[in-house]
Amino acid sequence: MYCIDCPDIISREEWGARPSANPLVSINKVVNHTIVHHGASAHCQTKEQCMRIVRSFQDLHLDDRKWDD
């Protein structure tokens, strides 16, 4: 189903995600809940700026906090 008013979803590959510390697991189920994690950062004006901010969040999670991703 296509959603006209939904925001664009940017894939991990597109925003330049690093590999996860552990393998990602795909699920083949209907998702009943979604959790959106936000971080305090500068406001981005372009797609490139926004992707850079997301990469910095990932760097913090992987490198500093030692989380899987």
Side-chain angles (χ1 to χ4, degrees):
M1 176 179 213
Y2 182 74
C3 176
I4 295 172
D5 296 326
C6 295
D8 290 337
I9 303 297
I10 307 300
S11 70
R12 290 175 58 85
E13 180 180 29
E14 189 174 355
W15 61 261
R18 294 165 47 189
S20 179
N22 285 302
L24 299 177
V25 177
S26 294
I27 59 172
N28 190 16
K29 294 182 179 182
V30 173
V31 177
N32 294 321
H33 296 84
T34 302
I35 298 171
V36 177
H37 170 69
H38 70 88
S41 67
H43 183 74
C44 55
Q45 298 293 326
T46 67
K47 184 177 177 180
E48 290 74 24
Q49 288 174 337
C50 296
M51 291 188 306
R52 188 171 35 252
I53 290 170
V54 172
R55 286 191 301 270
S56 74
F57 292 156
Q58 189 187 41
D59 290 342
L60 172 71
H61 292 170
L62 290 172
D63 299 333
D64 295 350
R65 304 230 170 116
K66 305 299 183 202
W67 293 347
D68 290 346
D69 195 0

